[in-house]
Amino acid sequence: MAVSLSPGRVMVNGPLGELSQQVPVRMQVEQEDGTVVVKRPTERGEDRALHGLTRSLIANMVEGVTNGFQKRLEIQGVGYRASLRSC
């Protein structure tokens, strides 16, 4: 897996494909020792929210290109009829 950073954009390449995402200008995204670090400029609520969103989007991109997307369904109880279909 490879992460490349350019001003305002993060691109992630992996075995399952390539994803890119625009990053808010206020957030600083850096690569340190093989990890991606998102830094916020202030502790204001708006910056904290953007920081969490940016971090989550990048983490989901990394997960998507390495493991892919899965849905898991667990059925508990008696009397349900279920079948597995792909859409």
Side-chain angles (χ1 to χ4, degrees):
M1 182 197 62
V3 177
S4 60
L5 304 172
S6 61
R9 183 162 294 279
V10 174
M11 294 179 4
V12 180
N13 296 323
L16 297 179
E18 176 182 324
L19 294 172
S20 67
Q21 177 71 37
Q22 239 181 328
V23 178
V25 178
R26 295 179 60 83
M27 296 299 116
Q28 297 176 6
V29 181
E30 300 170 352
Q31 212 166 3
E32 297 175 0
D33 299 327
T35 60
V36 178
V37 178
V38 180
K39 297 180 181 176
R40 59 181 174 238
T42 65
E43 289 296 320
R44 289 185 10 211
E46 181 180 295
D47 288 338
R48 290 173 51 185
L50 272 177
H51 176 260
L53 174 69
T54 304
R55 194 214 68 76
S56 294
L57 288 174
I58 294 172
N60 289 338
M61 288 169 41
V62 169
E63 180 75 19
V65 298
T66 54
N67 298 329
F69 176 75
Q70 293 180 355
K71 283 188 181 180
R72 292 186 185 260
L73 177 65
E74 183 177 324
I75 300 174
Q76 295 181 350
V78 181
Y80 296 102
R81 184 185 313 194
S83 62
L84 182 63
R85 287 190 314 195
S86 63
C87 297

